[in-house]
Amino acid sequence: MRRSETEDGERTAEARGDAERAGAGRAWVRGSHGPHGPRRPRALMTVAMCLCVTLVVGMVSAVNLAIPDLSAGTLHPSAEAVVWVVDGYVVVFACLLVPAGALADRRGRKGTLLCGMGVFAAGSVVCAAAPGVGALIAGRMISGVGAAAVLPTTLALLVEGLPDGPRRKAIAIWASMTGLAAVLGNVGGGAAIEYGTWRTLFWAVVPPALGALLLAAAVTPVTARHPRPAAPLGSALLTGGFLALLYGIVSGPQAGWGSPAVLGALAVAAVLLAAWARHGLRAAEPLLDPRLFARPGVRAGAVGMAALFTGMFGLFYLNGQYLQYAKGYGPLGAGVRLLPMAAALLAGPRCGLLLERVCGRRGTVVVGMFVLAGGLGTVSAADARTPYALYALGAGLTALGCGIATPLLSHAMMAALPADRAGTGSGLQSLARELGSALGIAVTGTITTAVFTARLPASLSGPGRPTTVAAAEARTPDGRVRAAVVDAFTDGLHMATLGLAAGVVLAALLIARWIPKETVTRDGGKGR
């Protein structure tokens, strides 16, 4: 009896502390005055968080514009190495998101954010000075560690202490920036490469990263820490399991699905993830409780965002290569021609709000996913002779669909979790997004390379055949052969985008069954 009374007292005290912290957060949002003077405007913190998000997400797409320059440079990477240059960052980013979000909840969100930005900048320096492909991939992974600490923490800081209405608006802004950053990364990356090399891209990101760190240090408040254990075993099992899984997925097509390395990686992934689930079910304070996935909002949000970003970032992997190889634009010209995607991403949430009034949340999410799949289907028809306007339409529809569905899926997941798990919740949804991004890049790169190498002209086929467009073009001065090389690449683009579109449609059918319907409450508002 005494133990029960003590536990009840502890829970009551914790609930009282949470209420006090929430009240303090609401007061800070209103711009009230505290004992140390006026609170900093929330708008400045929103700017700082958006700048951090833009940098860490933008570097995924910015590197895609560097693929032609990198492939033709002195490092001479293979197609598999190019995928890992892009995906090495995303894989580490994805695998450490949930541990980083949980660490921020337990050890302080502001400190975690600042450390993450510092590590991200350091990794960019390693990439810029890399003497070989291995060092370049290592630098990308270091940056991925920092990015994992940044992304979930920014959302948790933005929603701290907000009531439902402003909370939804903050989530929508954050979700829009994560998509918009990918397009802005194309323009910034294209400009850096146009007037320099791929190394210039990494040097150029260091000053704004340090600037974002200083701004965040100045305007971000110190939030309460939640006194829970850091769950190192759960973190290790989850991270190791996903690393092994993604290694198997990325390496399978090149090494062979039946190779010992791939089979071993998939077996290790299965064992580690099963051990993580068992540990989470038994632990008093798990890193990520597997029972959360029994909640329809969490399950729908995770699967839906993974599918959306598989399609989005699969297309991002192809955009720069298509516009440079097939259409002949320079890096900056290619980046500028992707700006319609930014406009579509900005319009997406507004269109989603209008559609929600007519179709409801479930219908709007499904419509958004179908629009994205339709955009990928439109892109699949592109070749070297396709007008840019048609390609821009397909890319714009892809971005519009992502913009429509992402905020609603994000809110469904965050609303299904308790307030004191904001960091873990945002880490979970970021995990779904980045795993989708990593999978999209890996699958797209694999399919495109397989079709490309299979359809190369006879003079370039056989043992030792090139695996990148740049390597193939370097081997022949014949204009007709070079045109055939580009056609082989666009054949790969066709197969990859059709596969991505089919995957998004299948996911949309699952989401239609899982996502909770909204109900009308007595006061006329909407509930879950």
Side-chain angles (χ1 to χ4, degrees):
M1 178 66 70
R2 291 179 181 176
R3 181 178 179 182
S4 177
E5 291 173 352
T6 300
E7 291 175 347
D8 289 343
E10 290 175 350
R11 283 194 292 269
T12 301
E14 183 176 352
R16 187 183 303 116
D18 289 343
E20 291 172 355
R21 286 190 292 270
R26 286 190 292 271
W28 183 81
V29 170
R30 291 192 299 267
S32 63
H33 292 256
H36 302 293
R39 304 288 186 182
R40 295 181 176 89
R42 184 174 181 83
L44 281 178
M45 191 186 79
T46 301
V47 170
M49 299 302 101
C50 288
L51 179 57
C52 292
V53 167
T54 299
L55 289 169
V56 300
V57 176
M59 278 305 289
V60 179
S61 56
V63 170
N64 291 325
L65 268 293
I67 289 175
D69 186 66
L70 175 64
S71 298
T74 57
L75 299 186
H76 303 297
S78 66
E80 183 178 359
V82 169
V83 171
W84 274 109
V85 168
V86 181
D87 236 2
Y89 176 82
V90 185
V91 168
V92 174
F93 194 172
C95 291
L96 296 183
L97 277 168
V98 173
L103 180 66
D105 282 346
R106 292 157 173 77
R107 300 295 184 234
R109 292 169 184 163
K110 180 175 182 177
T112 302
L113 172 64
L114 299 182
C115 288
M117 286 305 301
V119 173
F120 171 79
S124 297
V125 172
V126 173
C127 291
V133 175
L136 177 58
I137 295 173
R140 290 283 286 164
M141 290 183 172
I142 292 171
S143 288
V145 173
V150 170
L151 191 63
T153 312
T154 53
L155 179 57
L157 286 166
L158 279 177
V159 302
E160 177 83 12
L162 289 178
D164 185 66
R167 180 187 181 93
R168 291 188 66 164
K169 183 178 179 181
I171 292 173
I173 292 172
W174 182 89
S176 297
M177 283 307 304
T178 57
L180 183 60
V183 180
L184 295 177
N186 282 324
V187 179
I193 299 160
E194 182 79 20
Y195 299 107
T197 66
W198 62 266
R199 294 183 187 273
T200 308
L201 169 64
F202 294 106
W203 285 122
V205 80
V206 175
L210 296 178
L213 188 156
L214 294 176
L215 180 60
V219 303
T220 305
V222 176
T223 59
R225 301 180 183 182
H226 299 287
R228 295 191 186 91
L233 179 58
S235 301
L237 291 172
L238 182 65
T239 303
F242 275 121
L243 278 171
L245 176 62
L246 289 172
Y247 176 82
I249 292 173
V250 172
S251 301
Q254 281 79 30
W257 291 105
S259 66
V262 172
L263 292 178
L266 295 177
V268 168
V271 170
L272 291 178
L273 292 176
W276 164 77
R278 183 179 182 186
H279 175 267
L281 291 171
R282 294 187 173 188
E285 294 288 348
L287 171 71
L288 176 62
D289 192 341
R291 285 176 286 260
L292 291 176
F293 291 98
R295 304 185 183 196
V298 174
R299 189 167 63 251
V303 174
M305 284 190 285
L308 287 171
F309 279 75
T310 296
M312 260 297 265
F313 278 79
L315 180 59
F316 277 132
Y317 183 78
L318 294 171
N319 277 333
Q321 296 180 73
Y322 171 78
L323 291 173
Q324 292 180 70
Y325 289 142
K327 302 302 293 180
Y329 302 122
L332 180 57
V336 169
R337 284 170 175 81
L338 293 173
L339 284 178
M341 296 186 74
L345 281 168
L346 288 174
R350 294 181 181 275
C351 293
L353 289 175
L354 295 175
L355 284 171
E356 191 178 6
R357 297 173 187 173
V358 179
C359 305
R361 179 170 59 194
R362 175 182 293 180
T364 302
V365 168
V366 173
V367 167
M369 296 184 77
F370 280 174
V371 169
L372 187 146
L376 291 170
T378 303
V379 168
S380 73
D383 59 22
R385 294 160 290 281
T386 300
Y388 160 73
L390 180 62
Y391 189 87
L393 174 63
L397 287 174
T398 303
L400 179 64
C402 188
I404 289 171
T406 298
L408 292 174
L409 289 169
S410 181
H411 181 260
M413 179 179 288
M414 294 297 287
L417 296 172
D420 66 336
R421 295 294 179 91
T424 302
S426 61
L428 173 58
Q429 67 168 287
S430 298
L431 170 66
R433 297 157 68 101
E434 298 308 320
L435 281 176
S437 302
L439 182 61
I441 292 166
V443 169
T444 301
T446 296
I447 294 175
T448 304
T449 301
V451 175
F452 170 74
T453 54
R455 299 189 181 180
L456 280 173
S459 60
L460 295 173
S461 60
R465 61 189 175 185
T467 57
T468 66
V469 176
E473 290 183 336
R475 292 191 185 185
T476 176
D478 190 327
R480 286 177 298 179
V481 175
R482 291 168 69 90
V485 167
V486 172
D487 286 342
F489 168 76
T490 55
D491 287 345
L493 177 147
H494 172 78
M495 296 299 296
T497 49
L498 282 182
L500 293 173
V504 172
V505 169
L506 290 176
L509 298 178
L510 291 176
I511 302 307
R513 295 175 58 87
W514 291 341
I515 193 167
K517 290 183 178 179
E518 288 186 331
T519 57
V520 179
T521 61
R522 291 182 179 179
D523 61 0
K526 288 183 177 181
R528 286 173 291 161

